[in-house]
Amino acid sequence: MDKKTVMAMVIIAVIIILMPYYQKLLTGDQPVKKTVDQKTENVDTVKKQIEKAEEKPPVQQEKPTENITEPVQKESKFLTNAIIQDSAEHFIDITSNKIKVRISNKGGGNLESFKLLNYDRYDSTKVNMIDKSINNDVHLSFQNPNGEFIETNNYLFKNDQNISTKFLREGESFKIKYTLEIDNEYLEKTLIFYDNLYHFDVVIKFSNPSKMILNRSYEFGWQNGLPPTEPNFSDDYNYSQAYVYMGEELDGYQLSEPGKKELVTYSGSADWLAVRTKYFITALMHKNADVSEGIYFSGEGIQKQDYVQRLYDFGYNVNYQNNYNGDTLRVYIGPLDISELDRYHNELDQLVMNNGWYEHMFRFISLIILQLLQFFHSFIPNYGIVIIIFSILIKVVLYPLTKKSYSSMKDMQKIQPLMTEIREKYKDEPQRMNSEMMKLYKEHGVNPVGGCLPMILQMPLLIALFIVFRSTIQLRGAMFIPGWITDLSQPDTLFLLPFSLPMYGNEFNILPILMALTMIFQSKMTMQDPKQKMMVYIMPIFMLLIFNRFPSGLNLYYTLFNLFTIVQQKFISTGSDKEPDLTKTKKIKGKN
C-alpha cells in the first residue's frame, strides 16, 4: 500500500474521531451543528463451459512446507540437432466477443497479443495483456534425461490448422494442435479457446515421457508479470503482486528490492497461481494435471523514475502421468472482476478487494457495498447517477447515528458551564474533579462519548467505501458527464499545470476543489468565533492536496456526502438554536 493511501486512511479516521472537538473549537460554547464525513450473467450457461477439476492429483493438497530464497541460475542447452522445427513462423488471430488473441507457432502457441475488447487503455486502445517489450507469456520447459534444459518457447512447432483468422460464434470453441519433434519423439500442445470466456486451456502430451523428460517432471508457468494499463504507472504497480492458493489459504508473494533476482518454492498442490495489477490478472489453474510437486515464484523488480516495475515468474512443477489424453491446464487472462472470477468456484474471487491488510480487514463490508452498486447499475446505466443515489441512501441509513451524535453534542454543550466550574474548583484535585464530573453526567443523563461513538461506528463503512471506489474495476472507464468526468476511476483532470506542486501534483481537478469548498461551507455554518477563522480552511486544504489525484468516483461521493450532510445538519438543527437554559440546573457546591 503506497504512502498516499496510508495517509488518506489516517486522515479519514482522524476526521471522524476529532470532528466533535474540531467543531467545538470553531463554535465555542454554542450548540454544535456537527458534520459527519462518510463516506449475474447466467451461471447455468457458464457451468456448461467451465468444468470443475476432472481428475484430482493422487497427492493430497497441503500448505507450503518449503520457502527457500536463492539466486535464480538457469542455463539453457538447446539440442538443435535433435529437434525438428517448422521452417517459418505463422500467426493466427482468434476473436470472440470478449477477446482478440494472436498466437504464434513459436513455442506451440506463444501469445503475441491478448486484447480485452471490453476494456480500453488510457490512450483509447484496447487493453493488451501481452507486452513484447517485457516478453511476458506462458512458458513450458523441461529437462531431458541427460539433464539438458529445453525451453520450448524458442522453437517453431508445426500446427494442424492452415488458417490465419478465426471468429468464434456464440457458444463455439476453437482447438488448435501444435507439435514439435524431439529426438524422434514428439511433444503436443493443444490450445482451446472459448467464446464469451477470458480463459483458454492448454493440453500437454509427451509421446514417450520416460525418453523425453527427466523424472517425468516439467514446468508450466507464466513469465515477466503484466504490463501497466493505467495512466498512473506507479499506482498500477503498487497493486502488482503474485499469489498462490493452496491448502485453502491465500498467500501473497512480492518482489523485494529492485535489481535482485530470487527464487521462492512451495511444496504441495496449489489450486491456482496468479499475478495482478490494479484491475487485471493472469491466473494458472489445473484440471487433470498432477501438480503435487509444488510451485515456484521468481522474477525481478526494475527501478523506474517513480515506481518499481515488477516482472513476476511463477508456475507449476508438473508430474506427467502418461495420460493418454495429456495434462490439461487452464490460463485466465482478464479483468479482476468478481462476477467473472466467481464462475471458477475455486476462490479466485478472493483477489478482489484483498490487496493489503486494510482491504482484507474491510472486505466483507466492501463486497456488500459493491453488490449494492451493481444492483443499482443493473437498471441505472450511469454509475455517476448510481453514486448520487447511493450517497442519499447512506445518509438515510446513517441518520439515526447522525442524530444521536448531534443530540449528545448538544447535551454536552448545555452542561459546559457547569463542567468549566468544576474544573476551576477542583483543578488541584484531579480525582475529586473526575468524581464530580461523573456525578454531573449522571445527574443530567449525559454520555460524554455519545458524540464520538456513533462516528467511530461509521468508520468501517467509510473505509470500505474508500476501497470500493478506489480499486474495483466496475468504475473503470465508467463515464458520468461527457467532456468532464469521463472515467470514474481516474481524476477529473481539466488540464495539466506547467509545474508540479508538492503533494498536489500538476493535475488541475475540479471535484477535489468542490469537496474542499463543501467542507469549508460546513465549518462556516457553525463558526461563531472570528478568531478561529483560519481553522476553517486547514483541514479542507489538506484534504484537497491528498485527494487531488484520487479517482473522481471517490471525490464525487465525498462531495455529495458533504452536500447532503449540510442539508441534514440544517434539518436536525431547526428549532434547536436557543441558548441553553441553565437556570434550573443544580449549582455546584464549594469545596468541603
Side-chain angles (χ1 to χ4, degrees):
M1 181 169 56
D2 59 301
K3 293 180 180 178
K4 217 170 186 183
T5 301
V6 174
M7 189 177 296
M9 301 287 287
V10 172
I11 290 172
I12 290 171
V14 169
I15 289 174
I16 294 175
I17 296 174
L18 298 184
M19 186 62 78
Y21 307 102
Y22 175 64
Q23 293 287 359
K24 179 181 174 182
L25 183 62
L26 293 175
T27 60
D29 291 337
Q30 299 298 322
V32 175
K33 304 169 188 175
K34 199 176 94 37
T35 300
V36 181
D37 235 345
Q38 290 257 2
K39 307 220 184 232
T40 70
E41 206 162 77
N42 193 315
V43 176
D44 294 331
T45 302
V46 176
K47 284 182 179 178
K48 296 178 182 178
Q49 294 179 312
I50 303 178
E51 304 173 11
K52 292 187 178 180
E54 299 170 359
E55 192 174 315
K56 290 286 184 181
V59 180
Q60 185 178 1
Q61 286 189 346
E62 55 187 51
K63 297 180 181 179
T65 58
E66 183 181 3
N67 193 325
I68 303 172
T69 302
E70 58 185 26
V72 177
Q73 296 180 344
K74 263 187 180 177
E75 296 185 0
S76 300
K77 299 178 181 179
F78 301 110
L79 308 179
T80 54
N81 60 338
I83 298 179
I84 299 177
Q85 310 181 62
D86 200 348
S87 58
E89 188 172 10
H90 310 286
F91 302 97
I92 298 178
D93 293 323
I94 305 163
T95 305
S96 72
N97 66 340
K98 286 189 174 180
I99 61 175
K100 183 175 183 179
V101 185
R102 169 167 281 198
I103 59 175
S104 167
N105 63 323
K106 190 173 184 180
N110 281 0
L111 300 173
E112 295 295 310
S113 68
F114 200 104
K115 296 181 179 180
L116 309 182
L117 300 182
N118 295 327
Y119 298 94
D120 293 333
R121 278 169 50 93
Y122 56 89
D123 57 4
S124 299
T125 62
K126 296 301 178 184
V127 167
N128 188 356
M129 303 293 286
I130 301 297
D131 184 348
K132 301 311 289 184
S133 68
I134 62 175
N135 197 30
N136 63 321
D137 204 345
V138 177
H139 78 93
L140 168 65
S141 61
F142 59 92
Q143 288 179 289
N144 68 9
N146 295 325
E148 295 171 305
F149 183 77
I150 298 176
E151 174 58 73
T152 63
N153 281 18
N154 296 305
Y155 296 97
L156 298 174
F157 286 59
K158 297 178 181 179
N159 71 73
D160 63 346
Q161 298 279 356
N162 188 25
I163 60 174
S164 59
T165 59
K166 176 63 179 179
F167 294 91
L168 295 178
R169 297 185 299 272
E170 185 176 355
E172 183 183 8
S173 63
F174 171 69
K175 180 186 298 186
I176 181 169
K177 181 187 297 182
Y178 290 98
T179 305
L180 182 67
E181 186 176 338
I182 306 175
D183 198 19
N184 296 321
E185 300 294 340
Y186 64 87
L187 164 64
E188 279 185 2
K189 281 182 67 180
T190 302
L191 276 62
I192 309 173
F193 294 87
Y194 306 90
D195 174 62
N196 203 38
L197 295 172
Y198 287 104
H199 79 254
F200 62 93
D201 290 334
V202 181
V203 182
I204 299 169
K205 183 177 180 181
F206 293 90
S207 62
N208 191 341
S210 60
K211 184 179 178 181
M212 299 177 68
I213 50 179
L214 181 66
N215 297 327
R216 308 179 70 88
S217 179
Y218 65 90
E219 290 182 359
F220 180 84
W222 183 265
Q223 60 187 16
N224 293 329
L226 297 174
T229 60
E230 310 310 304
N232 188 343
F233 285 10
S234 177
D235 185 45
D236 208 5
Y237 272 118
N238 278 333
Y239 284 83
S240 181
Q241 189 171 351
Y243 296 88
V244 56
Y245 187 81
M246 61 192 310
E248 298 185 353
E249 290 186 4
L250 178 66
D251 195 9
Y253 165 76
Q254 190 168 47
L255 292 169
S256 54
E257 56 190 81
K260 180 182 178 181
K261 284 197 171 185
E262 56 187 26
L263 173 66
V264 177
T265 63
Y266 291 75
S267 63
S269 178
D271 294 296
W272 50 261
L273 311 168
V275 62
R276 66 167 292 176
T277 51
K278 187 172 184 178
Y279 295 115
F280 301 97
I281 70 164
T282 288
L284 304 182
M285 299 166 265
H286 62 91
K287 290 189 65 178
N288 66 345
D290 179 0
V291 295
S292 60
E293 292 192 2
I295 57 99
Y296 65 90
F297 289 114
S298 66
E300 183 179 8
I302 301 175
Q303 182 65 58
K304 300 294 184 179
Q305 184 175 357
D306 59 349
Y307 67 94
V308 176
Q309 183 180 33
R310 297 183 175 94
L311 305 180
Y312 290 97
D313 300 339
F314 56 90
Y316 287 111
N317 296 312
V318 186
N319 183 27
Y320 191 72
Q321 292 296 301
N322 200 22
N323 186 343
Y324 178 78
N325 295 318
D327 292 341
T328 302
L329 298 111
R330 177 162 288 172
V331 183
Y332 175 93
I333 305 177
L336 194 61
D337 186 339
I338 194 167
S339 60
E340 291 287 345
L341 303 181
D342 188 52
R343 301 173 175 183
Y344 296 92
H345 307 291
N346 60 1
E347 305 301 326
L348 192 59
D349 60 302
Q350 282 197 26
L351 294 182
V352 178
M353 294 185 292
N354 201 5
N355 184 54
W357 64 268
Y358 78 103
E359 287 195 7
H360 178 74
M361 180 180 296
F362 298 99
R363 187 172 186 268
F364 175 75
I365 304 175
S366 298
L367 287 174
I368 295 175
I369 294 172
L370 179 59
Q371 290 172 356
L372 284 173
L373 292 176
Q374 289 181 301
F375 169 74
F376 289 131
H377 190 254
S378 64
F379 53 87
I380 302 174
N382 189 310
Y383 261 114
I385 298 176
V386 169
I387 291 175
I388 295 174
I389 295 174
F390 187 76
S391 301
I392 297 173
L393 176 64
I394 292 299
K395 292 304 298 182
V396 172
V397 171
L398 296 179
Y399 177 77
L401 288 177
T402 305
K403 186 176 181 181
K404 176 64 176 176
S405 178
Y406 284 151
S407 298
S408 296
M409 290 296 296
K410 183 179 177 181
D411 291 340
M412 288 293 291
Q413 288 293 331
K414 286 181 178 180
I415 65 171
Q416 187 67 37
L418 299 179
M419 294 171 61
T420 302
E421 186 178 346
I422 290 175
R423 291 192 186 99
E424 287 295 325
K425 287 187 175 183
Y426 303 109
K427 60 183 178 181
D428 298 328
E429 302 178 56
Q431 292 185 352
R432 177 70 181 275
M433 181 174 65
N434 291 335
S435 176
E436 292 295 329
M437 284 289 191
M438 291 299 105
K439 290 179 182 178
L440 182 66
Y441 295 149
K442 185 176 181 181
E443 179 182 345
H444 291 272
V446 174
N447 183 357
V449 297
C452 298
L453 187 58
M455 286 177 293
I456 293 175
L457 294 175
Q458 296 174 37
M459 280 183 60
L461 175 61
L462 192 63
I463 297 174
L465 284 165
F466 178 86
I467 294 168
V468 170
F469 286 125
R470 194 179 181 206
S471 62
T472 55
I473 199 170
Q474 278 70 22
L475 295 181
R476 186 186 184 276
M479 180 182 292
F480 177 34
I481 300 176
W484 176 26
I485 306 176
T486 57
D487 185 347
L488 288 167
S489 72
Q490 297 296 327
D492 60 311
T493 305
L494 289 186
F495 57 85
L496 298 178
L497 301 173
F499 50 85
S500 182
L501 298 173
M503 296 181 68
Y504 184 83
N506 66 338
E507 300 175 357
F508 184 81
N509 304 313
I510 295 296
L511 281 174
I513 296 175
L514 294 177
M515 180 186 70
L517 290 175
T518 56
M519 292 182 66
I520 292 172
F521 184 73
Q522 287 178 251
S523 300
K524 283 191 171 184
M525 285 178 62
T526 58
M527 187 186 71
Q528 301 292 330
D529 186 357
K531 296 179 181 180
Q532 305 296 336
K533 184 177 180 181
M534 289 305 298
M535 292 296 296
V536 175
Y537 302 97
I538 292 177
M539 185 61 73
I541 291 175
F542 195 45
M543 290 290 285
L544 168 62
L545 295 175
I546 295 297
F547 278 67
N548 187 59
R549 298 188 67 184
F550 279 5
S552 55
L554 183 64
N555 286 321
L556 174 63
Y557 172 79
Y558 285 143
T559 302
L560 292 169
F561 194 88
N562 288 343
L563 288 173
F564 297 143
T565 299
I566 291 171
V567 174
Q568 192 177 64
Q569 185 175 330
K570 279 279 202 181
F571 176 75
I572 295 177
S573 302
T574 301
S576 62
D577 292 334
K578 297 179 181 180
E579 293 291 330
D581 183 8
L582 299 177
T583 57
K584 300 180 181 179
T585 305
K586 183 179 178 181
K587 283 193 140 188
I588 305 298
K589 297 181 179 180
K591 293 184 184 181
N592 294 331

